[in-house]
Amino acid sequence: MTSSCRPSADDPAALSAALAGIVDRMCRDTDRGKVADYIPELACVDPRQFGLSICLCDGSQLNFGDAATPFSIQSVSKAFTLAVALGRFGEGLWRRVGREPSSNAFNSVVDLELEQGKPRNPFVNAGAIVVTDEIMAGRAPRDALAEILWFVRAAAGDNDIFIDESLARSEKVTGHRNWSLAHFLKSSGNLKHDCELSLGTYFHQCAIEMNCIQLARAGRFLAGLNAGDELVSSNHVRSINALMMTCGHYDGSGEFAYRVGFPGKSGVGGGIMAVVPGKASIAVWSPGLNRFGNSRLGTIALEELSLAAGWSVFSVD
Ligand code: DON
């Protein structure tokens, strides 16, 4: 397809038609991936659901399918906590966490041991636990959590966003892998608070519930779509987008960059927040996951959208 006949962000009607086709195909796909079952509450989510919402540079927003259905954002929250931590501590954060992609699963203990307790990046679980621990510095966990929730609500421009307490509590009881990561961090001198406090805060941030409409709005600051309302400095936006591109889908990040070609952050609830800098902020949700723990149909939908609109940042036409 040549660039002149592509649906573009400047032509919302054509883009809307292209997206309607993509969503229709996703809704009819019978291979929906596998819902996360290591968090008991997520195991019973219906995999037939699919939602997509997109905010464009003209201020419009297009919604499709189950865009208004709330879901657990899980690791998508790590993009927001990274923004909060960079805002509070700036480059000092990188003393405690790296900026390199990982080739093992998001909850790998092996990686952490190989790196002597410095997580490879802020998006693997160990790295996100360190980022949250840093946000907690000098205050009670509930105040750190309040700032995280404040940030997400401000980014979305919507106060109707809450934490699913029962999901957070159940992850605290069943999240043994995260407990082992937290204890390893503690033993390496890279966790300032008790494991219980840092993990409790981390589990709560993961249990934030949003729908695609809210999540697409919350991603606008990363796409540069809310000019004049500088929630995060442009330098930090550049850093977060670079990390979402290289690490946002864990050991599936190379595949995501190859197929989709713009930054995104996934969560095991099946959500992905993705941004096309200067053009669009997109939220897609389908609960079934691929082998990397990222939404299977969400990734395919973003790939189709990227191809249709020519939005890969690596495209030259
Ligand atoms: O810590 C966990 O395992 C979950 N609360 C979040 C993991 C996650 O979302 C990974 N993303 N695809």
Side-chain angles (χ1 to χ4, degrees), residues 38-39 74-75 106 125 171 178 202 206 250 266-268 293-294:
Y38 75 100
I39 301 175
Q74 292 296 320
S75 289
F106 60 85
N125 285 7
E171 209 185 344
N178 283 325
Y202 168 78
C206 287
Y250 315 106
S266 64
V268 285
N294 306 316

Side-chain angles (χ1 to χ4, degrees), residues 148-171:
I148 295 167
L149 197 56
W150 172 87
F151 180 92
V152 174
R153 288 172 171 171
D158 188 340
N159 283 334
D160 197 20
I161 296 171
F162 299 95
I163 291 170
D164 181 341
E165 286 287 342
S166 69
L167 200 150
R169 271 197 301 275
S170 95
E171 209 185 344

Side-chain angles (χ1 to χ4, degrees), residues 218-240:
R220 288 172 303 180
F221 76 96
L222 292 169
L225 300 188
N226 44 2
D229 175 15
E230 200 166 268
L231 196 58
V232 176
S233 76
S234 55
N235 264 344
H236 289 164
V237 165
R238 187 170 59 96
S239 306
I240 299 163

Side-chain angles (χ1 to χ4, degrees), residues 36 38-39 42 72-78 106-107 123-126 128-129 167 171 175 177-178 181 199 202-203 205-207 248-250 265-271 289 292-295:
Y38 75 100
I39 301 175
L42 297 182
S72 186
I73 69 167
Q74 292 296 320
S75 289
V76 181
S77 66
K78 297 169 181 174
F106 60 85
N107 53 5
F123 295 147
V124 290
N125 285 7
I129 293 166
L167 200 150
E171 209 185 344
R177 188 63 83 104
N178 283 325
L181 291 172
L199 272 188
Y202 168 78
F203 288 139
Q205 99 191 25
C206 287
H249 285 74
Y250 315 106
K265 182 73 212 82
S266 64
V268 285
L289 308 178
F292 303 111
N294 306 316
S295 174

Side-chain angles (χ1 to χ4, degrees), residues 101-102 121 123 243-262 264-266 292 294:
S102 51
N121 64 64
F123 295 147
L243 286 158
M244 292 210 305
M245 180 67 105
T246 53
C247 314
H249 285 74
Y250 315 106
D251 44 335
S253 297
E255 184 73 5
F256 189 85
Y258 182 87
R259 287 168 53 187
V260 177
F262 46 79
K265 182 73 212 82
S266 64
F292 303 111
N294 306 316

Side-chain angles (χ1 to χ4, degrees), residues 17-48:
L19 277 167
I22 292 171
V23 172
D24 184 53
R25 280 193 293 286
M26 297 307 115
C27 289
R28 284 189 285 114
D29 197 318
T30 50
D31 182 358
R32 309 201 69 79
K34 191 175 172 305
V35 296
D37 53 11
Y38 75 100
I39 301 175
E41 263 83 351
L42 297 182
C44 49
V45 177
D46 182 354
R48 287 168 302 186

